[in-house]
Amino acid sequence: MSKTILTYSALRLFQNCRRKYHLRHYEYLVPLKADEVLYLGSVWHSVMELWYGEGDLDAKLLAIRNLIDKSFPDHNSDPSQKRDWHLCHAMFDGYRARYPKEDFVVVGIEQEFSIPIINPLTGRSSRTFELRGKVDGLVQMRDLGELFLLEHKSAAQITGDYIERLPSDFQINLYSMALSRFMKQKISGVIYNVTRKASLKQSEGETEEQFEVRRAELIKKSKTGKSSAKRKLPESNEAFRERLKEKYYDPEMFYREILYLSDEDALRTSTEIWDITKLILTARRENCWIPNWEACFKFGSKPCMYWPLCRSNNNPNVRDNFYKIAPPNEELVELEPEPIF
Ligand code: SF4
């Protein structure tokens, strides 16, 4: 019997909320409307994949421009697509300028792994689960020849907190341990490659009415009873592009951290994964998927994607109107049976 696939995302979902894990991995539900923030992040990953992939410079640049254009097909008419389309182009242009040369060579892109989940106490493999995933990139440092994962992130903020938490990031610890076991080669750590998403907005200008209200206010305050105010016109695409370009001249829009991960880190991560599988087995056996109401609004102001369903006590109309069925672990493709390295 084939084993149940666990990925980083699946493990993370279970840790955050068991009900969420069940809705995604047993009922296969996803919202009909894609999350814009997650979508932008996935486009950025695809941009990085092309940038560090094979091919000559001109071909890559063309492919990246096409990718961004195709990812936001309605950028001429839809305001949110237009914003993200401008942003992605500016992020990429800024990124190229910021990193004209790299201290590493790319060994692999979107490298997949598949490994048994091992009980760290007995060394035995789980009969129920296997661990699979895909890392953004694998690179080799030019100086010492060490292998590192290259993980791309796009983030609204790069705060001290964000950086402080990186060594405990479950995802990079898991990927490093898993790929190292899959390839049977030591991976020294992770290059955490963060690009900030500028929060600039293209000005929409004023309507005639808004202008008249503002002008009347200014006249009221003016000693002469007059105002030379002019109506604010919408910001042109060119002007907005220029503002974004300038924003990305700022080196603080980019951040890289090299983290070394030890054998103790790998053992701790393996133990954590094993412990989660035990909890999943218990939940499965008892068919008990406890909701974690603390997690519903955990990520900023946006609720969890299943909030409408949970809030409605699993109302079938909500289920039919807001969700569709999609296979889990869509990010994975069929693996070759043997490691490629
Ligand atoms: S809305 Fe809350 S309880 Fe429901 S799945 Fe999401 S996190 Fe869990």
Side-chain angles (χ1 to χ4, degrees):
M1 202 173 73
S2 64
K3 292 183 183 178
T4 302
I5 294 169
L6 286 178
T7 61
Y8 159 74
S9 321
L11 292 164
R12 194 38 110 206
L13 275 194
F14 184 83
Q15 279 186 311
N16 281 334
C17 174
R18 295 175 186 197
R19 178 183 243 169
K20 193 170 179 176
Y21 171 79
H22 186 260
L23 287 168
R24 182 67 191 99
H25 288 271
Y26 286 85
E27 300 196 34
Y28 304 150
L29 290 183
V30 291
L32 280 174
K33 194 171 181 296
D35 185 308
E36 283 172 13
V37 175
L38 293 183
Y39 183 68
L40 179 67
S42 82
V43 174
W44 182 243
H45 266 86
S46 303
V47 167
M48 290 288 97
E49 185 184 342
L50 286 174
W51 180 236
Y52 288 108
E54 289 178 358
D56 69 45
L57 181 64
D58 288 343
K60 283 203 253 189
L61 291 178
L62 182 65
I64 288 169
R65 303 264 173 246
N66 285 340
L67 169 81
I68 298 174
D69 293 350
K70 279 190 188 149
S71 300
F72 304 102
D74 299 325
H75 64 266
N76 284 321
S77 53
D78 180 307
S80 68
Q81 283 205 22
K82 186 176 176 185
R83 180 199 61 212
D84 290 346
W85 176 79
H86 276 304
L87 184 57
C88 260
H89 277 294
M91 282 167 77
F92 176 63
D93 291 339
Y95 188 90
R96 270 185 72 203
R98 177 72 184 81
Y99 302 111
K101 283 194 191 138
E102 300 288 8
D103 297 333
F104 53 75
V105 288
V106 176
V107 178
I109 291 293
E110 298 290 307
Q111 170 67 52
E112 295 207 19
F113 60 80
S114 168
I115 55 166
I117 294 179
I118 307 275
N119 179 342
L121 290 179
T122 64
R124 290 218 187 97
S125 301
S126 166
R127 282 176 293 162
T128 317
F129 301 107
E130 66 171 320
L131 184 64
R132 285 179 57 172
K134 184 161 66 170
V135 304
D136 292 343
L138 182 68
V139 298
Q140 186 165 36
M141 302 309 275
R142 289 185 200 277
D143 50 2
L144 297 175
E146 296 167 294
L147 290 175
F148 279 82
L149 299 186
L150 178 65
E151 271 298 305
H152 308 299
K153 299 282 173 201
S154 53
Q157 297 285 343
I158 306 173
T159 59
D161 253 22
Y162 185 88
I163 295 159
E164 188 64 27
R165 283 200 311 264
L166 292 183
S168 65
D169 186 321
F170 183 46
Q171 184 181 23
I172 55 177
N173 276 285
L174 181 150
Y175 284 175
S176 171
M177 176 280 294
L179 193 63
S180 182
R181 268 181 50 200
F182 182 68
M183 291 170 45
K184 299 185 177 64
Q185 279 199 43
K186 181 168 174 50
I187 292 177
S188 300
V190 180
I191 302 171
Y192 217 92
N193 182 31
V194 191
T195 304
R196 264 181 68 190
K197 293 178 283 188
S199 56
L200 298 183
K201 289 200 170 76
Q202 189 167 7
S203 168
E204 291 173 2
E206 286 174 312
T207 63
E208 194 61 45
E209 281 121 14
Q210 286 168 332
F211 170 59
E212 287 306 335
V213 170
R214 183 168 69 86
R215 190 161 165 270
E217 285 294 318
L218 290 170
I219 290 172
K220 225 193 286 177
K221 286 181 198 157
S222 157
K223 285 183 187 148
T224 61
K226 290 181 190 165
S227 167
S228 58
K230 289 203 172 66
R231 185 177 155 197
K232 289 180 194 160
L233 296 173
E235 184 178 21
S236 69
N237 285 337
E238 292 70 29
F240 183 52
R241 261 203 297 270
E242 201 50 42
R243 268 204 307 136
L244 273 173
K245 192 171 154 188
E246 270 178 37
K247 185 77 186 164
Y248 279 98
Y249 285 149
D250 183 352
E252 299 215 338
M253 296 304 282
F254 307 93
Y255 181 79
R256 277 188 183 173
E257 176 89 15
I258 298 184
L259 293 175
Y260 281 84
L261 298 172
S262 62
D263 292 346
E264 288 75 31
D265 290 323
L267 180 62
R268 192 196 64 225
T269 305
S270 298
T271 307
E272 204 174 329
I273 293 168
W274 180 258
D275 289 345
I276 299 171
T277 62
K278 284 198 294 187
L279 295 172
I280 296 176
L281 280 176
T282 306
R284 250 166 63 157
R285 196 170 49 243
E286 296 172 359
N287 194 23
C288 179
W289 306 97
I290 303 167
N292 175 12
W293 299 109
E294 297 293 317
C296 307
F297 286 84
K298 197 173 168 192
F299 301 102
S301 55
K302 280 199 160 195
C304 158
M305 61 184 172
Y306 297 116
W307 175 245
L309 193 60
C310 290
R311 187 167 171 251
S312 70
N313 289 323
N314 217 0
N315 184 314
N317 291 333
V318 174
R319 180 179 282 254
D320 292 346
N321 290 324
F322 289 91
Y323 298 91
K324 64 179 179 182
I325 302 289
N329 309 316
E330 282 177 301
E331 71 274 25
L332 300 174
V333 295
E334 278 307 304
L335 281 168
E336 293 296 319
E338 293 297 324
I340 63 165
F341 293 93

